[in-house]
Amino acid sequence: MTGASGHGPASLGADDRQRLEADRVTPQAAPVHGGSLRRRVLVWLLPPLAVLLLINAFFTHRSALDAVNQAYDRTLSASVRAIGERTHSLAGQIQVDIPYAAFEGFEADAAERIFHAVFDPAGGLVTGYADLRPPALPADDGSVRIFDLPYAGETVRLAAMRKRLYDPALRGGDAVLIVFAETTGARRALAHDLFVASLQRQSLLVAVGAILVLAALGTAFRPLLRVRDHMRTRDEEDLTPVRMERVPSEIAPLIDAINHHMERLSAMLAARRRFLADAAHQIRTPLAVLTTQAEYGLRQRDPDEMLETFTSLLRSTRATRRLADQMLTLSRAEAVNGLIGERATLDLAGLVKDVAMDLAPLALKRDIDLAYEGIGHALNMEGNAPMLREMVSNLIDNAIRYSPPDSAVTVAVAAFGADALVSVCDQGPGIPAAERERVFQRFYRILGHGDSDGSGLGLAIVREIALAHGGRVTLRDGAQGHGLCVEVELPLGAAASF
């Protein structure tokens, strides 16, 4: 297979490196506070309490009015009965002697107006106010009925009773109607006073309750404040888990989340320290070689010798640059660093084909036949396109570098159910079964195999990117036991999250 000009097979671009550095140094935005939790609790607690207070006030007012009516109605009923006791009939003549006791209970309140009337069995007025009639007649068994009705421009409370006189001479029966009414101003005033007093007590209870709630919230939040103080006084490098002794069950999930985050930070910092240690160890030797070659070249006077020295210097510089690029790629591919989390829908088959086209010139330069076997249609998945490109580029680049001239490298993409399979097979020396697990270690190289410019990071990068996408890498023998086949299985659904 032939293709257009390519790029460095296992390197990060300038934009990627700048973004990586920006991710490391960009300060975090100032925290946005969601308001006081105490205030939020009070906002959710006090309005319902106010509504309940209003509902209770309505029923309290009704209860106060009912209680006042019951007290006043006793006096009203007693007045009607007192008039009834002094009402008699003789030979058809009804006599009413209204006693002083009927008005005694109302004299203390001069503001109220009193009305009374007595009607004969035929409905005629015997004494009192002729238009003072109840809306319905009570039974003639001597029971008293109470009514509220408008009268003389005011609302009155009226008590009505029918009393049998047992006088055959009476026309229309022998039961007279006795009514006694009182204006309700005093009742309403007393009910209002009782209502206001009750409402004041209830409002005081709500206010005291709010204060107690604030005090309870202060006590309830003390464990959170202790956690805050503990975290503030910690050393910046102390990422040990927060102890969960005497922690309320409501706060335990928060502490568990903090500990989980600290574990992730510890893993990330360990990865960073590992990267720095690897970089310091691996870059030291190439830099020493570059320095020695440059110093040697400066001492030369023969142009041919100088050209050979600087050619070697250029080759070492390229190898060192490739090593640095691969180390940055490996650091970015590690899931604990969180730099590979950006995902988007991509065509895996198209991506693999594009990478193979980019590396075709390198294959032609080494007299290697680079073949691509696709599936003929798009193979969509969720993934990080730059990292997957690096993974495929490392696979194909390694296969080309470790294959002898006049051999073949086959790149294939297939789909099996919910998984995709990317395989790269070569006809090189292969990897012994005993070494296949160790080649995924960083900087591990099998002596005497392939390109001396290799850094031992290619397969480590491949595995990190595959794992970050929820996949796995398998090594097996090539066709007829010759060469090596590297197979990467990737899920086509949602990639693993970290």
Side-chain angles (χ1 to χ4, degrees):
M1 166 184 159
T2 60
S5 60
H7 55 74
S11 62
L12 285 173
D15 293 341
D16 294 332
R17 289 194 294 273
Q18 290 176 2
R19 186 166 61 252
L20 177 61
E21 295 301 325
D23 291 340
R24 292 178 178 175
V25 301
T26 300
Q28 296 294 325
V32 179
H33 297 287
S36 170
L37 189 56
R38 291 186 180 91
R39 187 180 299 110
R40 187 176 301 179
V41 171
L42 288 178
V43 166
W44 281 98
L45 183 62
L46 292 184
L49 285 178
V51 173
L52 292 176
L53 182 62
L54 291 176
I55 296 175
N56 186 65
F58 171 76
F59 289 105
T60 299
H61 184 268
R62 291 192 59 178
S63 298
L65 188 59
D66 290 343
V68 170
N69 282 335
Q70 289 179 7
Y72 274 75
D73 287 348
R74 292 191 182 97
T75 302
L76 199 62
S77 298
S79 298
V80 171
R81 288 192 171 93
I83 295 175
E85 289 176 358
R86 304 296 291 271
T87 301
H88 305 282
S89 176
L90 181 63
Q93 296 294 323
I94 299 175
Q95 298 179 356
V96 180
D97 181 14
I98 298 178
Y100 176 76
F103 300 93
E104 184 177 9
F106 304 95
E107 289 182 353
D109 191 353
E112 294 301 328
R113 298 174 61 188
I114 306 299
F115 309 94
H116 71 280
V118 178
F119 299 94
D120 61 21
L125 178 67
V126 177
T127 184
Y129 296 85
D131 57 349
L132 185 64
R133 295 178 180 272
L137 292 176
D140 60 358
D141 56 358
S143 61
V144 179
R145 291 189 64 182
I146 306 294
F147 302 94
D148 285 312
L149 71 158
Y151 181 74
E154 298 185 63
T155 299
V156 297
R157 188 81 167 171
L158 182 145
M161 180 185 74
R162 293 177 66 190
K163 178 183 178 182
R164 298 184 65 180
L165 300 179
Y166 301 101
D167 185 356
L170 290 175
R171 293 178 299 171
D174 60 352
V176 295
L177 175 64
I178 304 168
V179 293
F180 200 95
E182 169 197 21
T183 55
T184 59
R187 295 170 181 252
R188 292 196 301 269
L190 180 57
H192 178 267
D193 292 341
L194 293 176
F195 165 71
V196 171
S198 177
L199 188 62
Q200 288 176 344
R201 291 192 297 271
Q202 293 172 6
S203 300
L204 179 61
L205 288 176
V206 171
V208 173
I211 296 174
L212 293 177
V213 168
L214 283 175
L217 288 176
T219 302
F221 291 150
R222 284 178 185 172
L224 279 176
L225 298 179
R226 287 199 299 268
V227 173
R228 179 202 64 184
D229 296 338
H230 175 71
M231 297 302 296
R232 283 183 174 179
T233 56
R234 270 195 170 197
D235 187 83
E236 60 271 13
E237 295 184 0
D238 184 5
L239 295 177
T240 57
V242 179
R243 291 182 299 177
M244 300 181 65
E245 299 175 358
R246 293 181 298 176
V247 173
S249 59
E250 293 80 5
I251 303 178
L254 174 62
I255 304 299
D256 184 67
I258 292 174
N259 290 338
H260 179 65
H261 184 62
M262 285 188 172
E263 291 177 1
R264 296 176 62 185
L265 286 177
S266 298
M268 184 184 69
L269 292 177
R272 296 291 174 86
R273 287 192 293 267
R274 185 169 61 248
F275 170 77
L276 293 176
D278 291 342
H281 177 72
Q282 296 297 326
I283 296 296
R284 185 181 296 113
T285 299
L287 290 179
V289 172
L290 290 175
T291 302
T292 301
Q293 289 176 334
E295 292 175 349
Y296 179 76
L298 290 175
R299 292 196 300 267
Q300 300 303 315
R301 296 294 180 265
D302 184 4
D304 293 336
E305 189 70 22
M306 292 178 62
L307 180 60
E308 182 179 351
T309 301
F310 283 107
T311 300
S312 177
L313 179 63
L314 178 61
R315 185 167 55 252
S316 299
T317 302
R318 288 174 176 171
T320 303
R321 176 184 175 183
R322 183 167 180 267
L323 172 62
D325 288 343
Q326 284 194 317
M327 291 181 64
L328 288 174
T329 300
L330 180 61
S331 176
R332 188 182 179 194
E334 288 180 318
V336 292
N337 285 326
L339 302 177
I340 200 174
E342 298 179 0
R343 308 294 174 91
T345 302
L346 56 91
D347 177 12
L348 181 62
L351 182 147
V352 174
K353 184 177 180 180
D354 290 343
V355 175
M357 292 287 291
D358 291 341
L359 293 179
L362 178 62
L364 291 175
K365 182 179 178 181
R366 291 177 174 258
D367 295 327
I368 293 175
D369 181 18
L370 180 59
Y372 172 77
E373 298 177 359
I375 57 176
H377 58 81
L379 191 59
N380 294 326
M381 67 169 290
E382 293 290 325
N384 186 300
M387 287 290 98
L388 289 173
R389 182 176 291 273
E390 288 291 341
M391 180 190 73
V392 178
S393 179
N394 273 277
L395 288 175
I396 300 177
D397 181 77
N398 279 352
I400 293 174
R401 290 179 181 275
Y402 286 91
S403 295
D406 299 325
S407 62
V409 172
T410 303
V411 181
V413 179
F416 299 95
D419 295 327
L421 179 66
V422 178
S423 66
V424 178
C425 298
D426 60 48
Q427 297 176 350
I431 298 177
E435 300 283 348
R436 289 179 183 175
E437 186 60 31
R438 301 181 63 185
V439 294
F440 289 109
Q441 299 176 6
R442 304 177 182 202
F443 308 108
Y444 181 79
R445 299 182 63 209
I446 302 176
L447 297 178
H449 278 239
D451 191 355
S452 61
D453 292 336
S455 61
L457 290 175
L459 289 178
I461 293 173
V462 169
R463 185 171 67 171
E464 289 292 343
I465 296 175
L467 290 177
H469 285 81
R472 63 174 183 172
V473 184
T474 305
L475 304 182
R476 63 176 180 83
D477 292 331
Q480 300 178 352
H482 299 292
L484 177 70
C485 278
V486 183
E487 296 178 343
V488 180
E489 295 182 38
L490 297 171
L492 293 176
S497 59
F498 293 88

